[in-house]
Amino acid sequence: MTSSTNMRLRLPLLCIILEVILIILFGTLVEYNDDTHAKLWNENRTDSATRNDHENEFYYRYPSFQDVHVMIFVGFGFLMTFLQRYGFSSVGFNFLIAAFSLQWATLMQGFFHGLHHGKIHVGVTSMINADFCTGSVLISFGAVLGKTSPVQLLVMAIFEVTLFAVNEFILLSILGVNDAGGSMTIHTFGAYFGLMVTRVLYRPNLDKSKHRNSSVYHSDLFAMIGTIYLWMFWPSFNSAITNYGDPQHRTAMNTYYSLAACTLATFAFSALVNPEGKLDMVHIQNAALAGGVAVGTAGEMMLTAFGSMIVGFLAGTISVLGYKYLTPVLESKLKIQDTCGIHNLHGMPGVLGAVVGAVTAALASPDVYGHGLQRVFADVETGKWNPQSRGGFQAISLAVTLGMALFGGLITGFILKLPIYGAPPDTHCFEDGLYWEVPGEEEGHQELYEVATPNEVEKLSS
Amino acid sequence: MTSSTNMRLRLPLLCIILEVILIILFGTLVEYNDDTHAKLWNENRTDSATRNDHENEFYYRYPSFQDVHVMIFVGFGFLMTFLQRYGFSSVGFNFLIAAFSLQWATLMQGFFHGLHHGKIHVGVTSMINADFCTGSVLISFGAVLGKTSPVQLLVMAIFEVTLFAVNEFILLSILGVNDAGGSMTIHTFGAYFGLMVTRVLYRPNLDKSKHRNSSVYHSDLFAMIGTIYLWMFWPSFNSAITNYGDPQHRTAMNTYYSLAACTLATFAFSALVNPEGKLDMVHIQNAALAGGVAVGTAGEMMLTAFGSMIVGFLAGTISVLGYKYLTPVLESKLKIQDTCGIHNLHGMPGVLGAVVGAVTAALASPDVYGHGLQRVFADVETGKWNPQSRGGFQAISLAVTLGMALFGGLITGFILKLPIYGAPPDTHCFEDGLYWEVPGEEEGHQELYEVATPNEVEKLSS
Amino acid sequence: MTSSTNMRLRLPLLCIILEVILIILFGTLVEYNDDTHAKLWNENRTDSATRNDHENEFYYRYPSFQDVHVMIFVGFGFLMTFLQRYGFSSVGFNFLIAAFSLQWATLMQGFFHGLHHGKIHVGVTSMINADFCTGSVLISFGAVLGKTSPVQLLVMAIFEVTLFAVNEFILLSILGVNDAGGSMTIHTFGAYFGLMVTRVLYRPNLDKSKHRNSSVYHSDLFAMIGTIYLWMFWPSFNSAITNYGDPQHRTAMNTYYSLAACTLATFAFSALVNPEGKLDMVHIQNAALAGGVAVGTAGEMMLTAFGSMIVGFLAGTISVLGYKYLTPVLESKLKIQDTCGIHNLHGMPGVLGAVVGAVTAALASPDVYGHGLQRVFADVETGKWNPQSRGGFQAISLAVTLGMALFGGLITGFILKLPIYGAPPDTHCFEDGLYWEVPGEEEGHQELYEVATPNEVEKLSS
């Protein structure tokens, strides 16, 4: 049974058990918050004549939430459809683990972010935060794409969401740092967690599936749907949970400029590193997004448009160079098989974003921010604010995040290595047919999508 | 001529006549409402110093409208592209009948929802309502997909929109029930209307086109674009026309949780009902959405997050089981050929949603809702409110809707059976080439898309 | 070297130089505006107790911005993927030139729209305006699609953005006309600029690439993604920068009705002009959008719903007829090779929109608009308003725009004709393989995507 990839019992059992646990915990622990509760919202209103329905946080957060939601489900989902025979799994498993993670994240984040009389309060802001946490899991998914069963992915999500919430709590609540767009909490954490998992799950014989580990013409176009949606809505992502007013507005704009500059860098270096000067879809699909990652921390600060453009340009550059020169080395020397190259899109740009955030925080001054200083740096009000120590805490947060991610990925990797999850054999990685009913192509192509039955797989992999 | 599928005169004539009628009726009957009229909006403002442009309903409804609009045109349109050779028609006819229906619905709904001095007033809320009504027509389209000409579809839309408006008027204005997300008015109505139409249009020899009534690899990926957009924006759909403030916020959140739980149920049961434990794209594309349908009535009530998750989980479960076990029986025993399985996505989950709505309404109490009770149940203010009778009216509404849908579908089905619309012959169902100029695939594949000319079709079908 | 299409040095050099110039100019000239600057936003707030964060323009413009952003990157990008082997370039070059243009447009428009103590102030409104200007460049891209190198496109963008800003300045600031949705500034300008460029770049031997200048089945479906997104979000496009309140609300609704009517006209005439009554994807993909173009000027006025529908119906009609009868003549007689038929989608409907705008402005009266008159026509407040002269200025603006576009396109065309940009040879137009690493199709199809190496190209084209 261990080498069988048959999901008939494992996947339903796990999904049903998890959902039942979630429902029980939600029933016990979760309540509507003041803005979603019929009684509480209208009670408060009676108290104060000036409050009206238009002030419900729904109207100021929900459009951002929907943009983030599109990034999570369409953006990440389609970005990973670039593989020639892994489109169903890319979109489908993305869908599954995201739907699970957002529920689990609501509980974990609610627990750490502060209970209200023992209850977790939910509303649109918790929905955004849950989607953020989910994003981190999907980043890690990119590293192990094509080499894991859906059961493994759900198990990974259980652990990763939990550790994400712990790390986020340390950074935002204990260290009190800024990371609205998640350069550290989401991107750096998700990337190094995933890289460590894929390191532990190293497959020396993965080249047996090498012929499927590449794109075809139309799969690259599907992937561009993911890329473009991520690119367009990244300004909403980075600004979704900043304070209202100038911080949210500024964050969106800084991200917009960073991404625009990043795109030019990506095209420039993609052509430059190719002997014939041809552009590589892998770079365009991924590196052009690095500019959004790299302003995830500093975006809400007074980074200025041209500062954002410099950061974006750098991010695009290191990302393309990473794909070209670093990824092959990581695989051959460090045995890190990173299917989507998340180290180049989320890892290095996330670290860059953390550093830029630390520097920008250290340079903050009342001269520049005026009364807006306390809107960005929460500890100004408590009188504890000091730009240098702020910068220092930001830097410490990066170290904490890297440590948590690598340690968490290590443990999780070993758990995922147990031979009980129906992982694909080396010969059938990057292949939808293992877990999906796959239709034939038009007549004459059917043989392409014929895959071994589970029994044959057992034989093959034994 | 009767068996010819040539659209050269029929389609242009019908489109032009319909649009001319629409323009004349709009010219006679339709006026800008207070929020869109230059004079009225600014007049009112002068009267009251506190009113300002930011209070225009545009800013509170338009983002929801756009999400709904995406569901109607991208969501429904691409969801139906799963057939291997029917992508042009799926997206294209969806586009055509939606563009017609939203205009016609504006008139029908405006007429029933209350005229202002003999005029229909339009604004963003009427746009959302028109899109909702259009959604109902597109649900019915799913049942007859591949077996109808565009002329038939337009004729169906004329009748369905009209009956939709009548049914909606009975439910919302006479019975005064709640159905913000349309579990009854949109999903139940659209589903059973469409099922009755396809029953009347039963084709005993449809298996002559059986080889085209299935997907290919990339058509399933296009369909997933539709699925994911429907899934993401369903919270906006259900909350688009609720009252401002907590009801809108709560509805969106309940829908979000219902869909997340539904997705886990869908993956669980899809693997469970397959002998090899393989997932089926048909289930993922459709059943994962049933959670949105099933909270269409109760979503605005104090259903709680965990209540929503239970409903969503049930909806996903019955939807997958319906696809696996009920659809084949409906076809073989009841002669209902339901191309997209709308009974599983909209029919049963719609009925479930109506029942959940009735129960939740019957359990409503001032203890739970406080002053918010009248924001959800309109008859609280008039003093006629009583939770049990509320629940009873909700249940009656389901019966009314089923009756209207089945009766309307029956009549419309017989009208559509007249041999004057250029319906496809049994041998050429699920085939774009009948109504579209279809390009060849890349060299060497052209023969795949060669279809019979209309003359040949006449011969074939005589 | 002149005939080589190798981009290895040219493209990186141009991208890097441009981005460095942009960064320097942004560093010198660009500042956060009052709504994005931490100090300025919070300073003003302190002065006035009633002002609060919710009044930041972000909340009233950003959802529109995101819709416009989707149109620019997904809408235009995917609309052009209809060609069988040019999908990477369509989406990719669209991405590149849009990312460049929006930065360059921010500077050019900021310069002309009014400096603040020598500085350009940026915020969400400048982001929308930059996207609008980018749209104009992408329209022109449609005319030369498949026949230009990315270097040529960037050079075209440099000139076109500059002239766009000049023309916009003349229309909006000097002549003071209305053109919120850009029938003139965006569509007419972009179309005739692009048509002139492609005229100058006329290729007598383009039929050597004729076999690639057509669609395949799935490429047409990708293009429909672009079409549908443009169609859905056009109401946001036309209303994105109107005044708050009734003008924005009304513009969105007028556009919605215009597009609905346009769609019925498109289907009607597409079937009518085909001998077999079959619908043509080219018409559906393009002409159905003409209704949005044609109310780009008058949409914010009291055009009424039925007026909008008449305009939309006309626009769809002339657009289909243009594709069928005019485009072939333009190519054979006037030597204008217009790949996407932008003359039919943006050119003629843009001119129609300008005329409709002039007439509607000339018919404006305080009776109809009340106090809202000054919200639409800015010169009412200054007392200079006169409907006939308003209409006259609108008409003059069309003439100015046509003149600027044709003259600018002529100059730019000759600049682009220099043999230094690595343009594709006549034998390799409409071919991704020249500038992109193109993966094979599934096994057995690889030979389709083999293209000549640059050396072979040199030989072929010499």
Side-chain angles (χ1 to χ4, degrees), chain A residues 217 236 248-249 254 304 375, chain C residues 8 32 53 56 59 62 432:
Chain A
Y217 193 69
S236 302
Q248 191 164 13
H249 197 162
N254 286 339
T304 75
R375 314 290 313 290
Chain C
R8 187 158 193 195
Y32 291 127
D53 285 326
N56 193 294
Y59 302 102
Y62 188 72
D432 274 337

Side-chain angles (χ1 to χ4, degrees), chain C residues 158-176:
Chain C
I158 297 170
F159 289 98
E160 184 164 4
V161 165
T162 311
L163 282 161
F164 176 98
V166 173
N167 185 56
E168 190 186 37
F169 173 71
I170 295 172
L171 266 61
L172 305 188
S173 302
I174 299 182
L175 298 173

Side-chain angles (χ1 to χ4, degrees), chain A residues 5 9 43 93 109 132 148 202 238 265 282 288 316 319 330 344 347 398 402 417 427-428 454 461:
Chain A
T5 59
L9 292 179
E43 207 165 53
F93 296 164
Q109 293 178 313
F132 276 2
T148 38
Y202 178 67
N238 283 348
V282 172
S319 190
L330 288 183
N344 310 305
L398 174 60
L402 284 168
K417 217 173 175 172
T427 50
H428 281 72
S461 59

Side-chain angles (χ1 to χ4, degrees), chain C residues 59 63 83 123 139 187 208 215 271 295 315 361 406 439:
Chain C
Y59 302 102
L83 291 172
I139 291 168
H187 299 288
K208 286 183 184 169
S215 64
V295 295
L406 292 172

